[in-house]
Amino acid sequence: MELVRGDNDVRGFVVQHHYAHAFPNSGRFRFALREGNDLVGVAVFGVPAGPKVLASSFPFLSTPSQESVELQRLVLLDEVLKNGESWFVARCFKVLRAEGVEACVSFSDPTQGHVGTVYQSLNAHHTGRSKAAWSWRLLADGYRINRRDITKIQQSCTCCGTGRSTGGADGAMVRFVSWGARLPRSGECRRAWINEILPTIAVRRKHPGNHRYTWGLSKGSKRGLRRIHGPVDATRYPKVGV
């Protein structure tokens, strides 16, 4: 296992094998799991899209955005042994602790069949769910489209947005086209384009909220989480199909 300082080959691995097919640009720490020279797993930790996620998860930290992270991507090939995910994450935590990271949060999407089994095996605090909200889900596989991608495209429009064409907006448009949307015409209003193509590739549904899990990586953060949530109670963990 290695801590990757640049994107190296981890970006392509995540895009190919993660169900979201996208790499989080806010990832601060990228870990690669290799068997010999072969890349078989990647874990990405960074700052979440919502600015309040870390502060609300770890209110006892002085600077949550600097002292804590979100586990944003965890991808291992099926050939890796059954306990490989928990083994990998546990060793990532050890390195993060040495890097000064105090705590970590992660989310599991129940609509993708995920209830956080790996996180439960790592003795995480299950702290409920994120807020339920309406979202767009791809017709092809049910993947929930990131609302920030839609917003980036709308805001980058030169006729009705800020006009700031960012790499994030351009990358989001490429993803929509890869999902079956038509290419935008030259000079076309981006807001009008996204509003037109969304119903052709996705359906709008209410998302029940993701399961939220937290870990203290230091003694102080572990005490802080126990003060808020009490001891870890495995009987409260959600189960598949329940």
Side-chain angles (χ1 to χ4, degrees):
M1 190 193 83
E2 61 177 314
L3 175 59
V4 181
R5 293 299 180 182
D7 285 351
N8 201 7
D9 51 352
V10 302
R11 178 182 291 271
F13 184 91
V14 170
V15 171
Q16 179 180 357
H17 296 288
H18 193 270
Y19 65 86
H21 302 296
F23 189 86
N25 291 323
S26 59
R28 289 173 55 195
F29 302 96
R30 299 94 183 262
F31 294 90
L33 181 64
R34 302 183 188 276
E35 289 186 0
N37 294 324
D38 297 329
L39 181 62
V40 297
V42 169
V44 182
F45 298 80
V47 179
K52 296 181 180 179
V53 171
L54 296 177
S56 61
S57 299
F58 311 112
F60 47 82
L61 294 178
S62 301
T63 52
S65 62
Q66 298 178 24
E67 299 175 88
S68 58
V69 292
E70 177 191 11
L71 172 52
Q72 299 173 307
R73 294 288 187 272
L74 175 62
V75 195
L76 276 75
L77 297 183
D78 292 338
E79 64 198 54
V80 178
L81 294 177
K82 185 177 181 180
N83 66 341
E85 291 171 317
S86 56
W87 181 93
F88 183 31
V89 175
R91 278 146 187 82
C92 291
F93 282 170
K94 185 176 181 180
V95 177
L96 290 172
R97 191 180 303 115
E99 293 282 335
V101 177
E102 295 279 327
C104 179
V105 63
S106 194
F107 296 88
S108 292
D109 188 346
T111 64
Q112 294 292 327
H114 303 309
V115 295
T117 304
V118 173
Y119 307 154
Q120 295 171 14
S121 68
L122 289 164
N123 207 35
H125 287 269
H126 180 262
T127 62
R129 290 195 181 203
S130 59
K131 186 178 179 181
W134 287 94
S135 63
W136 288 95
R137 308 193 72 83
L138 290 180
L139 294 170
D141 57 13
Y143 167 66
R144 180 168 61 92
I145 297 173
N146 191 329
R147 176 63 198 175
R148 282 177 59 84
D149 279 349
I150 299 174
T151 302
K152 286 176 183 178
I153 293 171
Q154 293 172 332
Q155 292 182 342
S156 68
C157 185
T158 56
C159 64
C160 61
T162 62
R164 292 178 297 181
S165 181
T166 65
D170 294 340
M173 295 180 74
V174 170
R175 280 193 289 278
F176 280 103
V177 172
S178 73
W179 292 330
R182 68 168 177 82
L183 287 167
R185 292 181 285 271
S186 177
E188 182 177 8
C189 171
R190 290 190 171 191
R191 186 180 297 272
W193 175 78
I194 193 69
N195 290 342
E196 177 191 328
I197 63 95
L198 271 173
T200 69
I201 62 171
V203 61
R204 194 166 181 261
R205 293 178 180 169
K206 191 166 187 178
H207 191 282
N210 292 326
H211 294 291
R212 183 191 300 106
Y213 291 90
T214 58
W215 297 267
L217 304 187
S218 67
K219 291 182 179 179
S221 291
K222 289 178 181 178
R223 287 194 298 268
L225 288 174
R226 283 197 298 269
R227 284 197 301 269
I228 298 171
H229 305 292
V232 173
D233 184 359
T235 64
R236 298 176 60 185
Y237 285 156
K239 303 301 179 184
V240 176
V242 177

